[in-house]
Each structure stands twice: as structure tokens, then as C-alpha cells.
């Protein structure tokens, strides 16, 4: 099963959207195998957003992501990297499709409520920044696992 790193960003936590966003992930059938609330340190924020270092928005991005707690998650599912990006919507909320998390909950491209890895490599890199291997709970079955077992294999 594929895995991705998802984070409810500080604006989402401050606005009380944790439950709402997690509900969407659960309803999709994805399996949350790691979850923690933390306030990113400068060091963690700089590692996470290393690819954006030097861009004009980088200092504000670091301020934003360290400004309060985030809810960090490792999420499993079929083609979950692409699926989560689809559920999140475009970086700029007004370009995102209605029904996506960013279109429905966010107003600006700076504070766009949710993060999700954009590739297999960034998923692994970002999971390693936020989680130790022993913090992931992969040895349990969600209801969706039983559903998959009852389906013809592709
Ligand atoms: N960002 C910003 N200004 C920009 C572009 C991005 O503040 O012009 C922030 C925004 O929070 C975004 C994050 O930097 O989510 C990472 O940018 P990226 O282009 O990787 O977008 P994402 O992958 O989050 O959709
Ligand atoms: Mg990105």
C-alpha cells in the first residue's frame, strides 16, 4: 500500500478544523498509520521546506509553519499520494476545485490549511522528518482492509 505524509497546518489547527479534515481522510477509506500534534521547530520547518529555500515566500512560510501546532499524519491507501493531493486541491485556494479542502477551508495560498507530499520520494523524506519508524502503527486492520480482502484483486 502507498503512503504519504499529510499535515494540518497551523491555520487549520487554530480554526478547529482538525476533526473535519480527518473525517474526510477517513471517509475516503484511507488508513492513518501515524499521527501526532506538534509545533514544528525552526530546524524541522527548514528540513521540511528545504526545496523552497531562497524563494521570496520562504521566510513567511517558515514563520507560518512554526507559528503553532500542526497535526502530522502518515496516511496509507491505493495511489494515496495523488489521491490526497486531489482531495487537498491546488496550492492557491481560489484555483482549487470546490469540494477540495483548500477550496472549502482556505482563503490564501500562504495559509492553505493542509500539506500533502507531492511524490513518492518526498513522502518518504517527509515521513522520516516527522516520525520514527516505531511511531508508525502498520500492524492493524482498518475496516477498509477487510473490504479490500473481500474484493476481487485487480
Ligand atoms: N507558498 C506560499 N507562497 C507561494 C507558494 C507557496 O506561501 O507563492 C506556501 C504555501 O503554504 C504552500 C507551501 O508554501 O502550501 C509549499 O508550496 P508548494 O508550491 O510546494 O505547494 P503545495 O505543494 O503545498 O501545494
Ligand atoms: Mg509542495
Amino acid at each position: 500500500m502507498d503512503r504519504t505524509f499529510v499535515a494540518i497546518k497551523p491555520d487549520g489547527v487554530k480554526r478547529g478544523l482538525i476533526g473535519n479534515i480527518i473525517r474526510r481522510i477517513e471517509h475516503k477509506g484511507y488508513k492513518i498509520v501515524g499521527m501526532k500534534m506538534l509545533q514544528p521547530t525552526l530546524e524541522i520547518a527548514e528540513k521540511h521546506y528545504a526545496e523552497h529555500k531562497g524563494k521570496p515566500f520562504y521566510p513567511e512560510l517558515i514563520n507560518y509553519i512554526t507559528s503553532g501546532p500542526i497535526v502530522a499524519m502518515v496516511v496509507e491507501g491505493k495511489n494515496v499520494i495523488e489521491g490526497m493531493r486531489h482531495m487537498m486541491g491546488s496550492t492557491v485556494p481560489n484555483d482549487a476545485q470546490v469540494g477540495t479542502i483548500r477550496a472549502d477551508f482556505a482563503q490564501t495560498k500562504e495559509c492553505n490549511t493542509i500539506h500533502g507530499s507531492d511524490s513518492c520520494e518526498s513522502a518518504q523524506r517527509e515521513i522520516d522528518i516527522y516520525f520514527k519508524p516505531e511511531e508508525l502503527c502498520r500492524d492493524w486492520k482498518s475496516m477498509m482492509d477487510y473490504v479490500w480482502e473481500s474484493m476481487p484483486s485487480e
Side-chain angles (χ1 to χ4, degrees):
M1 204 59 83
D2 305 310
R3 289 194 296 170
T4 192
F5 174 73
V6 174
I8 303 172
K9 292 176 169 180
D11 60 314
V13 173
K14 289 172 185 171
R15 292 172 55 217
L17 296 172
I18 296 173
N20 214 317
I21 291 170
I22 289 176
R23 181 173 54 82
R24 289 181 177 219
I25 295 170
E26 288 184 320
H27 281 182
K28 178 79 174 176
Y30 290 151
K31 182 177 181 180
I32 298 169
V33 298
M35 179 157 63
K36 64 167 99 163
M37 186 168 174
L38 73 149
Q39 182 157 358
T41 59
L42 187 61
E43 191 192 349
I44 286 180
E46 285 179 341
K47 269 193 200 164
H48 181 162
Y49 285 118
E51 67 172 304
H52 295 303
K53 198 173 169 120
K55 295 184 186 170
F57 62 86
Y58 178 79
E60 273 309 308
L61 173 59
I62 297 299
N63 278 344
Y64 162 51
I65 207 72
T66 57
S67 70
I70 66 167
V71 174
M73 285 174 266
V74 178
V75 180
E76 275 188 7
K78 292 186 192 268
N79 301 312
V80 68
I81 296 173
E82 191 190 353
M84 267 311 308
R85 295 283 298 187
H86 198 58
M87 284 171 67
M88 286 161 48
S90 302
T91 310
V92 181
N94 284 358
D95 293 341
Q97 276 191 337
V98 171
T100 62
I101 292 166
R102 285 168 168 173
D104 292 358
F105 297 132
Q107 296 182 25
T108 69
K109 67 175 186 285
E110 289 79 19
C111 299
N112 53 11
T113 311
I114 187 162
H115 168 84
S117 310
D118 63 6
S119 67
C120 217
E121 296 68 38
S122 38
Q124 197 49 60
R125 195 184 72 81
E126 291 165 7
I127 290 168
D128 290 344
I129 292 172
Y130 286 92
F131 290 91
K132 299 187 186 113
E134 62 269 24
E135 289 175 321
L136 302 183
C137 315
R138 272 162 297 177
D139 236 8
W140 63 287
K141 283 192 178 181
S142 68
M143 280 207 280
M144 202 60 204
D145 289 319
Y146 292 98
V147 173
W148 291 130
E149 275 175 19
S150 75
M151 298 288 185
S153 50
E154 286 155 42

